[in-house]
Amino acid sequence: AVCEQVEDPKHAKGVVKRAVTHVVTPGVNMDSEAIPAHLPNYLGALFQDEEGSHFALADVTTGEFRATSFGSLEAAFSECRRLGVRELVFAGEMDDSLRERAEKSSVLLSCISPEEFQSNGIEGLDELPAEGPSNAAECLVSYLGRVHPKVLPTLARIEFYMPDSGMILEEE
C-alpha cells in the first residue's frame, strides 16, 4: 500500500494526516524499473455466465483497454498466458479449480463481488456486442477504483477484440 499526505502541512496541527492512496499489485504496478519497457503490464478481469467466459484487460501504464468473450474458462486462461497477464480479477467466489488454473498460468488471482461493480463512466461500454464483456470490464474498473482510483481517467475507450483475428508473427 502507498500512503501519502492528505492535508496541507501548513494547516496541520501536529502530525500531518496520511492515508492509503493506492495499493500496488502486479497488475497495477506503475514502477518503470519493475516492468521492462517493451512489455505490457496487463491487469485482466474474468466474468462467467451461462454464455461463457468474458474477459477484459487493461494496461494501466499505456491506457490500453479491451474486452472479449470465450466459450470456455480454459480458453480465457490460455489468452491470459498468451498475453502475459500479471493479475486476474475474478467476479465472484474463487474455487480450487480456478486457483489451479491461475497458478498454472502464473497469474495472481484477486476476487471482487459482482455487487461492487461500477461502470465509472467507461467510454464505449454501451457499444460492446454483449453483456458478458461489459460485465468483465465493469469488474476490472471496479477493482481499479478500489485499489488505484487515480489510473481510471487514463484508460482509453474500451474496444471489443476477437482473439483469433490476428496473426502471431513470433511466439516466445
Side-chain angles (χ1 to χ4, degrees):
V2 176
C3 295
E4 296 178 356
Q5 292 180 350
V6 293
E7 70 176 338
D8 188 340
K10 295 176 189 173
H11 304 299
K13 293 182 180 171
V15 179
V16 177
K17 288 183 186 173
R18 297 177 187 270
V20 174
T21 56
H22 63 277
V23 178
V24 178
T25 66
V28 293
N29 187 348
M30 298 181 69
D31 181 0
S32 60
E33 292 181 19
I35 306 161
H38 66 284
L39 294 176
N41 186 39
Y42 287 127
L43 169 67
L46 185 61
F47 178 85
Q48 289 188 279
D49 62 17
E50 59 281 342
E51 295 178 18
S53 296
H54 311 283
F55 180 66
L57 78 151
D59 182 340
V60 297
T61 60
T62 65
E64 178 184 0
F65 190 22
R66 301 185 288 162
T68 194
S69 291
F70 296 96
S72 71
L73 186 59
E74 187 54 46
F77 272 99
S78 177
E79 183 76 346
C80 284
R81 288 188 297 275
R82 185 182 75 78
L83 295 172
V85 171
R86 297 175 46 93
E87 181 178 4
L88 184 65
V89 181
F90 181 70
E93 303 252 342
M94 208 182 323
D95 63 17
D96 290 339
S97 169
L98 194 60
R99 281 188 194 93
E100 288 173 20
R101 289 173 196 255
E103 194 172 295
K104 285 180 184 176
S105 299
S106 300
V107 63
L108 173 71
L109 191 60
S110 302
C111 289
I112 189 169
S113 168
E115 288 81 36
E116 295 181 60
F117 285 8
Q118 299 174 10
S119 63
N120 290 316
I122 303 170
E123 282 188 56
L125 192 63
D126 56 339
E127 296 170 19
L128 293 178
E131 190 174 325
S134 295
N135 287 332
E138 287 178 356
C139 174
L140 189 146
V141 166
S142 299
Y143 179 76
L144 276 176
R146 189 169 72 190
V147 300
H148 205 326
K150 290 182 181 179
V151 302
L152 289 173
T154 68
L155 293 181
R157 177 184 194 84
I158 190 165
E159 294 180 9
F160 185 79
Y161 78 103
M162 299 296 291
D164 300 328
S165 66
M167 180 187 335
I168 299 173
L169 298 176
E170 183 178 320
E171 190 168 53
E172 295 179 33

